[in-house]
Amino acid sequence: MRAPRAAARRPAPPGATGSKSGLGPVAKRIQAGDRRALARLISDVEAGRPEARSVLRELYPRTGRAPIIGVTGPLGVGKSSLINELIQLLRSKGKKVGVIAVDPSSPFSGGAVLGDRIRIERDPDDTGVFFRSMASRGHAGGVSQSTRDAIRLLEAFGMDVVIVETVGSGQVDVEIHQIATTRVVVVVPHLGDEVQTLKAGLFEIADVFVVNKSELPGAERAAKDLRELASLSVARDGWTPRVVPTSVVERRGTEDLWQAILDHEEALHQSGAGERARRERAEQELRELLLERIERMAREELADDTAWTSLLDGVVARETDPYTAADRAFHELRRRL
Amino acid sequence: MPEGKSAAPTHGAKGRPIRVLIAKPGLDGHDRGAKVVARALRDAGMEVIYAGLRQTPEDIVGAAMEEDVDLIGLSILSGAHNVLIPRVLALLKARKASDIVVFAGGIIPDEDAARLKKLGVKAVFGPGASLEHIIETARGLAAKRAARA
Ligand SMILES: Nc1nc2c(ncn2[C@@H]2O[C@H](COP(=O)(O)OP(=O)(O)OP(=O)(O)O)[C@@H](O)[C@H]2O)c(=O)[nH]1
Ligand SMILES: [Mg+2]
């Protein structure tokens, strides 16, 4: 499964997929900074194409070191604008930044309008930034896998920091807390918004709270309330969520936000919580990948299966209850697989 | 993905949803038309990357490549189409990305439209073009592109 170690290899013959680096041609192009190759590979990853998986296998050992910053929060609070500020700040420090902005697909048409790019002002020739919009495409579980994979590709491409924007509503489309190393939750100063945010379960996942649009009235109050809530909540691994007021219109707070993110990353490192979280994320991903395969295997096995059809007939006719039918199907599947 | 009205033709290269960049180069500040088209294409099952106003040709081509789109739709009302659109085409060519299909909409006189088409713009829509017509044309262009890939 893993790409062979470089030390154990001899130069590959021309045309072979291997090379001195142990990478195939596509992986090599990604590492060499070929933007078009990266863009296309992200598309392949999103479409779940098997060719993409083989490139990911090759690149996997070279990933996992960059901080992954999840930026989430309700619609229109200024997530993309803040990311734009972070991009400018990080570029001024010489850091390369990859961004993935996820927006929901329409459940009706499957289409999407992906508008986060509007807020990004950058030199179009700056190769130190790669911004990609992704639609959630509706299939459960699949989104987080393509997001995980796209993050890895951005890192293999040479990005020092990867930022992922998602809309955090009641149903968090992308389970960002299972992907990011630092989770930033953005709110704005309006009474009620904070409550909504808490209800949506965003409070529990935040490592850093941003009160954006803090030039508006009520900002100080909102920050104070959040700080109180944060201090009351149980500190996870010695980290109490930080509260950072920002204002994109007044260009304030971005440095503080970045510092809070760095402090959190450092705290993860010091306490050993980062290592545990890494293991949890790996287990979560493995479990999802495995479950996906088991489910597919079961579906394929049951499609057009006569035993399954007659079980179903029995349930529809109310001759068998669904619990008994599921038991029988399960035992039958286990016998066969 | 849920079944769309016509699932097959909404797919672009490699069986994924058609991806379109909608951008508005030039200095005029109206993007109502571009937004209406963006929403119509979304409702037709496409993924529309909306890049917004005042985009330079460099911004547009950079975004189109990063987003790996099938199509670029340029909305122009300012009369600068004779400069901006050829520049987009030239940049695509220079970056070996001429496989990305360009269409344009806005106020573009017939003789200019003919010239732009000669340069490689695949469709030009006037202000009276129906959304159905734009959707069907975009689908057709994406299907042709997918067949070439
Ligand atoms: N007053 C004020 N407006 C802001 C600030 N930051 C962003 N905005 C505005 O808020 C609006 C939404 O900003 P975005 O950055 O698109 O917000 P978002 O959270 O990414 O939005 P979605 O991705 O649609 O959920 C825009 O009109 C911004 O100009 C701020 O600090 N103060
Ligand atoms: Mg946004």
Side-chain angles (χ1 to χ4, degrees), chain B residues 55-119:
Chain B
Q55 298 284 300
T56 66
E58 285 76 8
D59 292 332
I60 291 166
V61 171
M65 290 175 71
E66 278 183 6
E67 299 287 357
D68 191 29
V69 295
D70 302 288
L71 314 173
I72 299 174
L74 300 173
S75 159
I76 302 201
L77 302 170
S78 61
H81 51 267
N82 284 329
V83 183
L84 294 171
I85 298 179
R87 178 91 187 116
V88 168
L89 294 167
L91 278 170
L92 284 171
K93 196 163 175 204
R95 298 186 191 174
K96 300 191 173 58
S98 293
D99 55 294
I100 301 174
V101 175
V102 177
F103 65 90
I107 302 164
I108 299 175
D110 287 349
E111 59 271 31
D112 291 350
R115 203 181 126 255
L116 290 172
K117 280 188 180 165
K118 264 203 201 107
L119 285 174

Side-chain angles (χ1 to χ4, degrees), chain A residues 16 30 89 113 156 159 163 197 209-210 224 228 237 248 256 258 261:
Chain A
I30 300 299
L89 179 72
V113 174
M159 297 312 181
I163 304 176
T197 304
F209 270 109
V210 169
K224 189 169 158 281
E228 245 160 51
D237 304 302
V248 173
D256 297 339
W258 180 240
I261 292 168

Side-chain angles (χ1 to χ4, degrees), chain A residues 35-36 39-40 43-44 49 107 109 111-114 117-118 122 124-125 129-133 135 137, chain B residues 1-2 14 16-17 19 42-43 45-50 58-59 63 65-68 95-97 99-100:
Chain A
R35 301 177 75 78
R36 192 106 208 262
R40 288 188 163 148
S43 299
D44 289 347
R49 291 168 67 84
S109 70
V113 174
L114 311 170
R117 263 198 113 89
I118 301 180
R122 60 181 251 228
D125 295 325
V129 180
F130 196 100
F131 189 104
R132 178 67 175 239
S133 314
R137 297 205 181 159
Chain B
M1 195 180 65
K14 302 179 184 172
R16 61 169 189 176
R19 278 171 76 89
R42 174 200 60 195
D43 293 341
M46 301 181 202
E47 291 179 2
V48 182
I49 293 93
Y50 189 70
E58 285 76 8
D59 292 332
M65 290 175 71
E66 278 183 6
E67 299 287 357
D68 191 29
R95 298 186 191 174
K96 300 191 173 58
D99 55 294
I100 301 174

Side-chain angles (χ1 to χ4, degrees), chain A residues 69-124:
Chain A
I69 317 301
V71 177
T72 194
L75 271 175
V77 293
K79 300 179 291 295
S80 305
S81 309
L82 277 166
I83 290 171
N84 182 52
E85 298 296 311
L86 281 174
I87 292 173
Q88 319 293 331
L89 179 72
L90 290 169
R91 291 307 292 139
S92 76
K93 295 178 188 293
K95 296 221 178 286
K96 296 184 178 180
V97 193
V99 182
I100 299 166
V102 185
D103 281 309
S105 299
S106 155
F108 304 108
S109 70
V113 174
L114 311 170
D116 299 306
R117 263 198 113 89
I118 301 180
R119 310 287 171 218
I120 308 302
E121 315 150 329
R122 60 181 251 228
D123 170 2

Side-chain angles (χ1 to χ4, degrees), chain A residues 71-83 101-103 115-116 118-119 165-168 186 188 211-216 246-252:
Chain A
V71 177
T72 194
L75 271 175
V77 293
K79 300 179 291 295
S80 305
S81 309
L82 277 166
I83 290 171
V102 185
D103 281 309
D116 299 306
I118 301 180
R119 310 287 171 218
E165 173 180 344
T166 57
V167 177
V186 186
V188 289
V211 180
N212 189 39
K213 311 199 186 184
S214 68
E215 81 285 355
L216 297 177
T246 60
S247 169
V248 173
V249 292
E250 292 182 352
R251 298 210 107 107
R252 262 195 302 108

Side-chain angles (χ1 to χ4, degrees), chain A residues 184-249:
Chain A
V184 177
V185 172
V186 186
V187 294
V188 289
H190 281 296
L191 202 70
D193 278 2
E194 297 97 271
V195 180
Q196 283 309 113
T197 304
L198 302 187
K199 272 197 201 145
L202 289 179
F203 191 79
E204 286 89 307
I205 67 155
D207 300 308
V208 178
F209 270 109
V210 169
V211 180
N212 189 39
K213 311 199 186 184
S214 68
E215 81 285 355
L216 297 177
E220 272 172 38
R221 180 64 203 267
K224 189 169 158 281
D225 287 352
L226 280 170
R227 275 196 194 101
E228 245 160 51
L229 274 171
S231 70
L232 289 175
S233 67
V234 188
R236 270 174 293 144
D237 304 302
W239 175 260
T240 307
R242 199 72 68 80
V243 179
V244 183
T246 60
S247 169
V248 173
V249 292

